[in-house]
Amino acid sequence: MNISRCLSIATALLTLVALKAYIEWTAEQGERYPTPTPFVGKAAPSPPSRLSRISLQPLSSIALTPPYNNSATASRGQKLTGTISNTKTSRQFHPLWDCRNYSLLINEPRKCAETKNNTFLLLAIKSVPGNFAARQAVRDTWGREGEPGGLAVRTVFLLGTAEGRFGPRLQHLVHFESRSFGDILMWDFEDTFFNLTLKDSLFLRWTLDYCRGVHFILKGDDDVFINTPKVLGYLSSVDANKPLYMGQVMSNASPFRVHRSKYYVPESFYVGPYPAYAGGGGYIFSGPLASLLLLISQHVAFYPIDDVYTGLCFQALGIPPQPHAGFMTFDIAEKDREDPCVHSQLLLVHRRSPQQTLHLWKQINDPNLQCGQEALKPQPQKPPGF
């Protein structure tokens, strides 16, 4: 009986010691990773309700008037409420609340300056250091730079540094790639899924510094297939004086609440449905809007899913996404995935391997390719329910 009582007392003491250690550890984590506020800075200006006077003129002259607050972007019950906690993603994303400026390790300051006129289309392709084959496939196909029909097309790949403390050090290889092709932008931050919003913000700053006169920007992943001639043909008919935000529009989407999903967002962080937004696999927006996007992003808290965040910023600017049937960011029906005639009618489809990209590009540019009317209506895949 005495032995049993001693064991019970010892267990209770050990439990108290462990509990004290846990409380101290939790407090330490709270100091290291404080809960961010949804909107940073002082009283933020509200965006203009109408942007009809925006053209290719500098946008810095457009005045914004206060107030702008959480409710300004929180229609239909949307609300940014806290931080992503108790997940491995929290430490990856928390630093972004405090720092939006990271060193540019590799730059291409002359990328847009070498065009006779302003760059017409800038292909800004999200990549990661290890995706060498994907980037080369893009260079060899739809991302090839030139001036077809007098419309200057330029390409940049957007990279952070290699992922994780134990990942391979690829910076030297990427520097060699940059010297060979002159199309790499690399910043000094860890390149992870939840840092794509940061990558977008840094790219907007780069655009204002080095490619301010660009007419249109196509943001996409390095595994999409883009029919660049068809994109140029479409954009040539667009009124450049009107703001454009176009892609495959996601409406009535909501955050994933499944812990296993890489898109998981807990209710403690975001409540309500997302605004309508263009799928992040690939979308187009007017180049002059880069200035307003960067400005408004200073007053909209970073959100860890980049295409949703872009939708939040465009919503704050009063610019709805414009759907286009040629964008298939969730792929197309199985029977059409190898069909060059189907791809010849699309603007963008996601996703294709480097080998598929090279093969499809050769096929759709074959002058002997003959297609029937059945290729005009490709069937999209059903997007996942966010």
Side-chain angles (χ1 to χ4, degrees):
M1 181 64 69
N2 290 337
I3 295 177
S4 177
R5 290 182 60 186
C6 289
L7 288 175
S8 298
I9 293 171
T11 301
L13 288 173
L14 288 173
T15 301
L16 289 172
V17 171
L19 181 60
K20 180 177 181 296
Y22 175 78
I23 292 173
E24 292 175 348
W25 178 85
T26 302
E28 180 184 352
Q29 297 305 304
E31 294 175 356
R32 293 177 61 191
Y33 302 105
T35 300
T37 54
F39 289 82
V40 296
K42 299 180 180 179
S46 63
S49 58
R50 299 184 63 187
L51 299 177
S52 58
R53 60 195 176 101
I54 293 179
S55 62
L56 297 179
Q57 63 190 4
L59 300 183
S60 57
S61 60
I62 297 178
L64 304 183
T65 56
Y68 178 80
N69 53 39
N70 196 10
S71 61
T73 58
S75 64
R76 294 189 302 164
Q78 300 160 10
K79 190 177 181 183
L80 294 173
T81 61
T83 180
I84 295 180
S85 59
N86 299 324
T87 71
K88 66 179 181 180
T89 61
S90 61
R91 295 191 183 187
Q92 297 174 356
F93 190 69
H94 272 254
L96 306 189
W97 298 87
D98 300 321
C99 182
R100 300 190 182 199
N101 297 311
Y102 287 79
S103 300
L104 190 55
L105 301 178
I106 302 177
N107 190 15
E108 293 297 334
R110 302 290 299 170
K111 173 59 65 173
C112 295
E114 296 174 354
T115 59
K116 294 180 181 179
N117 300 310
N118 286 331
T119 298
F120 182 77
L121 176 63
L122 178 63
L123 300 171
I125 308 305
K126 296 174 289 184
S127 189
V128 295
N131 286 9
F132 297 104
R135 291 193 291 275
Q136 192 57 46
V138 170
R139 294 185 188 102
D140 291 341
T141 56
W142 54 262
R144 186 176 300 145
E145 296 185 332
E147 300 190 18
L151 303 176
V153 178
R154 296 293 180 264
T155 301
V156 288
F157 295 97
L158 314 179
L159 282 69
T161 55
E163 180 179 346
R165 290 183 300 164
F166 305 107
R169 299 178 61 84
L170 302 177
Q171 278 84 340
H172 291 300
L173 292 175
V174 175
H175 274 278
F176 177 80
E177 181 184 9
S178 173
R179 290 193 296 271
S180 300
F181 300 103
D183 54 13
I184 300 290
L185 303 179
M186 174 183 267
W187 289 270
D188 189 16
F189 69 90
E190 188 175 346
D191 205 335
T192 64
F193 174 74
F194 280 94
N195 281 353
L196 288 176
T197 302
L198 173 62
K199 184 180 290 187
D200 277 358
S201 177
L202 293 169
F203 165 71
L204 289 173
R205 169 57 60 190
W206 180 89
T207 301
L208 296 183
D209 289 341
Y210 301 107
C211 201
R212 181 177 284 271
V214 62
H215 290 215
F216 298 100
I217 296 170
L218 193 158
K219 288 287 300 301
D221 295 339
D222 61 9
D223 59 352
V224 299
F225 181 87
I226 298 175
N227 191 336
T228 313
K230 199 169 184 67
V231 170
L232 291 173
Y234 176 82
L235 293 177
S236 297
S237 65
V238 170
D239 185 352
N241 294 318
K242 294 183 179 180
L244 178 69
Y245 169 41
M246 182 181 73
Q248 182 177 7
V249 177
M250 305 293 108
S251 300
N252 302 316
S254 297
F256 269 108
R257 303 303 187 193
V258 179
H259 287 259
R260 296 187 303 273
S261 172
K262 76 173 183 176
Y263 301 103
Y264 167 68
V265 175
E267 290 188 65
S268 63
F269 191 81
Y270 187 100
V271 176
Y274 291 141
Y277 66 95
Y283 58 87
I284 295 174
F285 63 94
S286 305
L289 291 177
S291 176
L292 281 183
L293 281 173
L294 184 62
L295 176 61
I296 205 66
S297 72
Q298 305 306 308
H299 309 289
V300 179
F302 270 166
Y303 191 69
I305 301 177
D306 59 317
D307 50 3
V308 173
Y309 182 74
T310 299
L312 286 166
C313 289
F314 271 113
Q315 183 192 45
L317 292 172
I319 302 175
Q322 176 181 325
H324 192 292
F327 284 79
M328 300 286 184
T329 54
F330 294 97
D331 212 336
I332 52 180
E334 183 72 32
K335 64 182 181 64
D336 296 328
R337 289 178 187 169
E338 304 295 331
D339 191 335
C341 289
V342 170
H343 287 78
S344 69
Q345 300 303 317
L346 297 174
L347 298 185
L348 180 149
V349 62
H350 191 208
R351 58 180 57 173
R352 295 293 177 266
S353 69
Q355 293 75 17
Q356 289 173 318
T357 294
L358 290 165
H359 186 55
L360 283 168
W361 184 256
K362 182 178 180 180
Q363 287 180 307
I364 69 170
N365 286 282
D366 185 349
N368 297 319
L369 179 66
Q370 296 183 356
C371 300
Q373 290 297 314
E374 65 276 6
L376 299 180
K377 295 182 179 180
Q379 297 300 310
Q381 284 286 90
K382 184 179 180 181
F386 283 9

